[in-house]
Amino acid sequence: MQHNTYSLHKICTSTGFAFDAGGYSRFKFGDGQQASLFGTALAEGFIKKVLENQVIQQQIVVISSPYSFIPTATFAMKNHFVYRLNRWLAENRLPVVQETKVHRTITYKDDYGELNAEQRMKLIGNDSFHIDAAFLRGKTLIFLDDIKITGSHERMITKMISEYALDNEIHMLYFAELTNPDIHPNIENYLNYHDVKSIFDLDSIINGGSFCINTRIVKFILNYEHHSFCVFLQNKSKKFLNELYDMALGNSYHTMDSYALNLNYIKNHLFKNHQVLA
């Protein structure tokens, strides 16, 4: 098995970044325009640094970061990565990308970006990842994620690959990677919340015309202080409220006590009172 890693941007300092920190924050909360910019840039970097030097002749399969029902922010970035990569592949008369999914079994309330390396591995180590191994035989795999901080997700992917006895050529791709070990992993939290300090900062993202719902924004909204949550919902569209509720159910958030108050408010005060038509 050949295992390669490529990251478009390296994080070497906590005071300056080679990418727009505010744009990254908005991307993490569902800004589709930022997802397009990041996915396209990552594809162009990968083409220039890797594919133009060593063309991959095998069928390529692109795999976004693991999720259960609600996609991660990386999923939106993945779409634009694939669009750009497919254009290059087609121009070079190579097979266009196939896709598949890594399934995960556990969802958790904890904010991953706050944790150190040991805490991250302890949290994610309880999870298990699953993939259609038969579909992947004889193909080159590109695992996509937005950022690499401690490598715990990558270790879980590597563990899954070993468990399925996959001997594929594998590329781990990241929009950004923390390369300075002296920087605490919670730099990820700084980036995640750079432009989102409160629930009301989400309005410009949701109403921006390219919103892509993801796990982070659903958890953030459902876990928010109840009064502010209720105020936040007052001017939201039926489409958004239905999507928020359905995504929450799909990830079994209705079984988690920490989300019960806000989720039940949507169910009881909005749907049952016919303020929102399902």
mmCIF file of all heavy atoms in Angstrom, residues 107-127:
data_model
loop_
_atom_site.group_PDB
_atom_site.id
_atom_site.type_symbol
_atom_site.label_atom_id
_atom_site.label_comp_id
_atom_site.label_asym_id
_atom_site.label_seq_id
_atom_site.Cartn_x
_atom_site.Cartn_y
_atom_site.Cartn_z
ATOM 1 N N THR A 107 -22.008 9.496 17.100
ATOM 2 C CA THR A 107 -22.011 10.951 17.051
ATOM 3 C C THR A 107 -21.862 11.463 18.475
ATOM 4 O O THR A 107 -22.309 10.824 19.427
ATOM 5 C CB THR A 107 -23.303 11.493 16.411
ATOM 6 O OG1 THR A 107 -23.219 12.911 16.283
ATOM 7 C CG2 THR A 107 -24.529 11.127 17.229
ATOM 8 N N TYR A 108 -21.187 12.587 18.642
ATOM 9 C CA TYR A 108 -20.925 13.081 19.991
ATOM 10 C C TYR A 108 -21.120 14.589 20.059
ATOM 11 O O TYR A 108 -21.027 15.303 19.060
ATOM 12 C CB TYR A 108 -19.511 12.712 20.451
ATOM 13 C CG TYR A 108 -18.433 12.900 19.406
ATOM 14 C CD1 TYR A 108 -17.882 14.142 19.151
ATOM 15 C CD2 TYR A 108 -17.966 11.809 18.670
ATOM 16 C CE1 TYR A 108 -16.903 14.309 18.197
ATOM 17 C CE2 TYR A 108 -16.981 11.963 17.709
ATOM 18 C CZ TYR A 108 -16.449 13.219 17.482
ATOM 19 O OH TYR A 108 -15.487 13.377 16.530
ATOM 20 N N LYS A 109 -21.391 15.055 21.272
ATOM 21 C CA LYS A 109 -21.665 16.467 21.510
ATOM 22 C C LYS A 109 -20.380 17.286 21.589
ATOM 23 O O LYS A 109 -20.365 18.471 21.267
ATOM 24 C CB LYS A 109 -22.463 16.607 22.812
ATOM 25 C CG LYS A 109 -22.670 18.041 23.292
ATOM 26 C CD LYS A 109 -23.433 18.054 24.600
ATOM 27 C CE LYS A 109 -23.493 19.471 25.178
ATOM 28 N NZ LYS A 109 -22.167 19.929 25.646
ATOM 29 N N ASP A 110 -19.290 16.660 22.008
ATOM 30 C CA ASP A 110 -18.044 17.378 22.276
ATOM 31 C C ASP A 110 -17.579 18.181 21.063
ATOM 32 O O ASP A 110 -17.721 17.744 19.916
ATOM 33 C CB ASP A 110 -16.943 16.383 22.653
ATOM 34 C CG ASP A 110 -17.369 15.459 23.776
ATOM 35 O OD1 ASP A 110 -18.219 14.580 23.516
ATOM 36 O OD2 ASP A 110 -16.859 15.609 24.888
ATOM 37 N N ASP A 111 -17.007 19.356 21.339
ATOM 38 C CA ASP A 111 -16.428 20.170 20.274
ATOM 39 C C ASP A 111 -14.991 19.717 20.062
ATOM 40 O O ASP A 111 -14.095 20.012 20.851
ATOM 41 C CB ASP A 111 -16.474 21.655 20.638
ATOM 42 C CG ASP A 111 -16.248 22.539 19.418
ATOM 43 O OD1 ASP A 111 -15.525 22.105 18.505
ATOM 44 O OD2 ASP A 111 -16.801 23.651 19.374
ATOM 45 N N TYR A 112 -14.783 18.996 18.997
ATOM 46 C CA TYR A 112 -13.500 18.356 18.705
ATOM 47 C C TYR A 112 -12.354 19.364 18.666
ATOM 48 O O TYR A 112 -11.232 19.069 19.075
ATOM 49 C CB TYR A 112 -13.640 17.640 17.359
ATOM 50 C CG TYR A 112 -12.595 16.611 17.055
ATOM 51 C CD1 TYR A 112 -12.600 15.370 17.681
ATOM 52 C CD2 TYR A 112 -11.604 16.869 16.111
ATOM 53 C CE1 TYR A 112 -11.651 14.414 17.380
ATOM 54 C CE2 TYR A 112 -10.652 15.921 15.804
ATOM 55 C CZ TYR A 112 -10.678 14.700 16.444
ATOM 56 O OH TYR A 112 -9.732 13.757 16.142
ATOM 57 N N GLY A 113 -12.634 20.568 18.169
ATOM 58 C CA GLY A 113 -11.589 21.567 17.997
ATOM 59 C C GLY A 113 -10.980 22.067 19.289
ATOM 60 O O GLY A 113 -9.893 22.647 19.289
ATOM 61 N N GLU A 114 -11.674 21.863 20.421
ATOM 62 C CA GLU A 114 -11.163 22.321 21.711
ATOM 63 C C GLU A 114 -10.137 21.365 22.311
ATOM 64 O O GLU A 114 -9.390 21.728 23.215
ATOM 65 C CB GLU A 114 -12.319 22.455 22.716
ATOM 66 C CG GLU A 114 -13.324 23.542 22.399
ATOM 67 C CD GLU A 114 -14.424 23.605 23.444
ATOM 68 O OE1 GLU A 114 -14.567 22.619 24.206
ATOM 69 O OE2 GLU A 114 -15.126 24.621 23.502
ATOM 70 N N LEU A 115 -10.088 20.131 21.816
ATOM 71 C CA LEU A 115 -9.361 19.067 22.496
ATOM 72 C C LEU A 115 -7.894 19.002 22.089
ATOM 73 O O LEU A 115 -7.519 19.392 20.986
ATOM 74 C CB LEU A 115 -10.035 17.722 22.195
ATOM 75 C CG LEU A 115 -11.545 17.640 22.457
ATOM 76 C CD1 LEU A 115 -12.066 16.261 22.085
ATOM 77 C CD2 LEU A 115 -11.866 17.972 23.906
ATOM 78 N N ASN A 116 -7.076 18.448 23.000
ATOM 79 C CA ASN A 116 -5.681 18.185 22.652
ATOM 80 C C ASN A 116 -5.588 16.827 21.961
ATOM 81 O O ASN A 116 -6.594 16.131 21.776
ATOM 82 C CB ASN A 116 -4.780 18.255 23.889
ATOM 83 C CG ASN A 116 -5.132 17.208 24.944
ATOM 84 O OD1 ASN A 116 -5.601 16.114 24.630
ATOM 85 N ND2 ASN A 116 -4.896 17.539 26.207
ATOM 86 N N ALA A 117 -4.374 16.433 21.597
ATOM 87 C CA ALA A 117 -4.197 15.213 20.800
ATOM 88 C C ALA A 117 -4.698 13.975 21.537
ATOM 89 O O ALA A 117 -5.384 13.119 20.955
ATOM 90 C CB ALA A 117 -2.723 15.057 20.430
ATOM 91 N N GLU A 118 -4.373 13.866 22.819
ATOM 92 C CA GLU A 118 -4.777 12.695 23.594
ATOM 93 C C GLU A 118 -6.292 12.622 23.738
ATOM 94 O O GLU A 118 -6.898 11.551 23.597
ATOM 95 C CB GLU A 118 -4.124 12.740 24.979
ATOM 96 C CG GLU A 118 -4.443 11.535 25.852
ATOM 97 C CD GLU A 118 -3.792 11.621 27.226
ATOM 98 O OE1 GLU A 118 -3.012 12.568 27.460
ATOM 99 O OE2 GLU A 118 -4.070 10.741 28.057
ATOM 100 N N GLN A 119 -6.922 13.762 24.018
ATOM 101 C CA GLN A 119 -8.374 13.797 24.173
ATOM 102 C C GLN A 119 -9.082 13.459 22.863
ATOM 103 O O GLN A 119 -10.104 12.772 22.858
ATOM 104 C CB GLN A 119 -8.804 15.184 24.652
ATOM 105 C CG GLN A 119 -8.378 15.505 26.076
ATOM 106 C CD GLN A 119 -8.563 16.976 26.409
ATOM 107 O OE1 GLN A 119 -8.424 17.851 25.550
ATOM 108 N NE2 GLN A 119 -8.876 17.256 27.667
ATOM 109 N N ARG A 120 -8.528 13.936 21.757
ATOM 110 C CA ARG A 120 -9.125 13.650 20.454
ATOM 111 C C ARG A 120 -9.104 12.151 20.165
ATOM 112 O O ARG A 120 -10.095 11.580 19.710
ATOM 113 C CB ARG A 120 -8.359 14.398 19.349
ATOM 114 C CG ARG A 120 -8.601 15.893 19.341
ATOM 115 C CD ARG A 120 -7.635 16.611 18.405
ATOM 116 N NE ARG A 120 -7.816 18.050 18.487
ATOM 117 C CZ ARG A 120 -8.105 18.833 17.445
ATOM 118 N NH1 ARG A 120 -8.234 18.316 16.245
ATOM 119 N NH2 ARG A 120 -8.250 20.127 17.606
ATOM 120 N N MET A 121 -7.964 11.532 20.420
ATOM 121 C CA MET A 121 -7.842 10.114 20.120
ATOM 122 C C MET A 121 -8.737 9.285 21.032
ATOM 123 O O MET A 121 -9.330 8.283 20.606
ATOM 124 C CB MET A 121 -6.383 9.678 20.255
ATOM 125 C CG MET A 121 -6.047 8.419 19.469
ATOM 126 S SD MET A 121 -6.322 8.627 17.694
ATOM 127 C CE MET A 121 -7.016 7.039 17.255
ATOM 128 N N LYS A 122 -8.871 9.724 22.283
ATOM 129 C CA LYS A 122 -9.742 9.016 23.220
ATOM 130 C C LYS A 122 -11.195 9.104 22.774
ATOM 131 O O LYS A 122 -11.945 8.120 22.844
ATOM 132 C CB LYS A 122 -9.584 9.601 24.625
ATOM 133 C CG LYS A 122 -10.406 8.885 25.687
ATOM 134 C CD LYS A 122 -10.162 9.476 27.071
ATOM 135 C CE LYS A 122 -10.991 8.755 28.126
ATOM 136 N NZ LYS A 122 -10.765 9.338 29.487
ATOM 137 N N LEU A 123 -11.587 10.284 22.287
ATOM 138 C CA LEU A 123 -12.964 10.484 21.844
ATOM 139 C C LEU A 123 -13.258 9.698 20.571
ATOM 140 O O LEU A 123 -14.211 8.920 20.503
ATOM 141 C CB LEU A 123 -13.225 11.973 21.613
ATOM 142 C CG LEU A 123 -14.631 12.354 21.145
ATOM 143 C CD1 LEU A 123 -15.664 12.044 22.219
ATOM 144 C CD2 LEU A 123 -14.684 13.837 20.772
ATOM 145 N N ILE A 124 -12.433 9.880 19.574
ATOM 146 C CA ILE A 124 -12.702 9.260 18.279
ATOM 147 C C ILE A 124 -12.373 7.773 18.284
ATOM 148 O O ILE A 124 -12.884 7.002 17.472
ATOM 149 C CB ILE A 124 -11.924 9.990 17.160
ATOM 150 C CG1 ILE A 124 -12.529 9.657 15.792
ATOM 151 C CG2 ILE A 124 -10.449 9.653 17.199
ATOM 152 C CD1 ILE A 124 -11.937 10.457 14.665
ATOM 153 N N GLY A 125 -11.526 7.356 19.238
ATOM 154 C CA GLY A 125 -11.147 5.948 19.310
ATOM 155 C C GLY A 125 -12.305 5.028 19.628
ATOM 156 O O GLY A 125 -12.245 3.819 19.373
ATOM 157 N N ASN A 126 -13.382 5.584 20.191
ATOM 158 C CA ASN A 126 -14.573 4.783 20.484
ATOM 159 C C ASN A 126 -15.448 4.570 19.256
ATOM 160 O O ASN A 126 -16.388 3.785 19.283
ATOM 161 C CB ASN A 126 -15.403 5.472 21.578
ATOM 162 C CG ASN A 126 -14.670 5.543 22.901
ATOM 163 O OD1 ASN A 126 -14.007 4.592 23.290
ATOM 164 N ND2 ASN A 126 -14.778 6.673 23.587
ATOM 165 N N ASP A 127 -15.140 5.302 18.196
ATOM 166 C CA ASP A 127 -15.926 5.228 16.969
ATOM 167 C C ASP A 127 -15.420 4.079 16.101
ATOM 168 O O ASP A 127 -14.348 3.518 16.341
ATOM 169 C CB ASP A 127 -15.796 6.551 16.208
ATOM 170 C CG ASP A 127 -16.998 6.844 15.327
ATOM 171 O OD1 ASP A 127 -17.770 5.903 15.055
ATOM 172 O OD2 ASP A 127 -17.154 8.004 14.914
#
